């Protein structure tokens, strides 16, 4: 399989998966390709970036693996920060009462709401056995919040 970036006459760009270049040409010739946005049948392959792997001894001048790793770490740190802010802003902190609150909502004793908090390993096992979906996130210590 090969993936081609395709572009319609109206400038919409999308991907197409083909067995090989001949399969792309055959589908173009038979009029089988069309833009998923505007249904235009006038579609052609677009030039796309090519990745070439080289040995470490032949790395391009100025390329630094540490810089690439740091860039990845920076992106991940930004993602974690945004995710943490979202959870803090949109989920009520019920602290160590998380398991109790989640079970009560699961069984309809309490109305559903978005909550966050802490659990023990035993509480996590109970929630799992009861079919209560949870997602564990790393706890970051904020000065405004006491964590158990």
């Amino acid at each position: 399989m090969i993936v081609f970036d395709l572009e319609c006459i109206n400038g919409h760009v999308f991907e197409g998966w083909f067995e090989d270049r001949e399969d792309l040409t055959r589908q173009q010739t038979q009029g089988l390709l069309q833009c998923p946005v505007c249904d235009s049948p006038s579609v052609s392959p677009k030039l796309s970036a090519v990745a070439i792997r080289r040995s470490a001894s032949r790395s391009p001048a100025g390329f630094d693996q540490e810089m690439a790793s740091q860039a990845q770490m920076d992106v991940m740190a930004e993602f974690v920060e945004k995710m943490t802010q979202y959870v803090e802003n949109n989920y009520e902190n019920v602290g160590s009462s998380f398991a109790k609150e989640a079970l009560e909502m699961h069984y309809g004793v309490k109305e559903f709401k978005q909550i966050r908090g802490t659990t023990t390993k035993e509480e996590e096992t109970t929630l799992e056995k009861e079919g209560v979906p949870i997602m564990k996130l790393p706890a970051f210590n904020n000065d405004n919040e006491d964590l158990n």
Side-chain angles (χ1 to χ4, degrees), residues 79-80 83-84 87-88 116-118 135-141 145 147:
F79 171 75
V80 169
M83 180 183 64
T84 301
V87 170
E88 287 177 0
R116 62 185 169 98
T118 58
M135 183 165 79
K136 291 174 66 170
L137 299 173
F140 298 98
N141 189 5
E145 189 174 325
L147 298 177

Side-chain angles (χ1 to χ4, degrees), residues 82-97:
K82 286 181 179 180
M83 180 183 64
T84 301
Q85 286 176 356
Y86 180 84
V87 170
E88 287 177 0
N89 293 333
N90 294 286
Y91 290 69
E92 181 183 332
N93 186 0
V94 295
S96 60
S97 299

Side-chain angles (χ1 to χ4, degrees), residues 35-127:
C35 175
V37 177
C38 66
D39 295 328
S40 170
S42 182
V43 174
S44 59
K46 180 177 168 56
L47 289 177
S48 58
V50 177
I52 300 173
R53 186 178 195 147
R54 293 184 171 181
S55 67
S57 63
R58 298 184 63 208
S59 294
F63 179 76
D64 184 358
Q65 188 64 36
E66 285 183 37
M67 286 174 52
S69 295
Q70 184 60 47
Q72 290 172 336
M73 294 299 289
D74 291 346
V75 168
M76 183 58 78
E78 182 180 347
F79 171 75
V80 169
E81 176 65 27
K82 286 181 179 180
M83 180 183 64
T84 301
Q85 286 176 356
Y86 180 84
V87 170
E88 287 177 0
N89 293 333
N90 294 286
Y91 290 69
E92 181 183 332
N93 186 0
V94 295
S96 60
S97 299
F98 180 85
K100 177 181 178 282
E101 295 276 334
L103 283 167
E104 288 176 345
M105 286 186 289
H106 182 70
Y107 288 111
V109 175
K110 285 190 170 180
E111 189 174 324
F112 177 81
K113 61 183 173 182
Q114 302 287 3
I115 61 171
R116 62 185 169 98
T118 58
T119 59
T120 64
K121 189 68 175 162
E122 294 78 24
E123 290 171 329
E124 289 174 23
T125 302
T126 300
L127 292 169

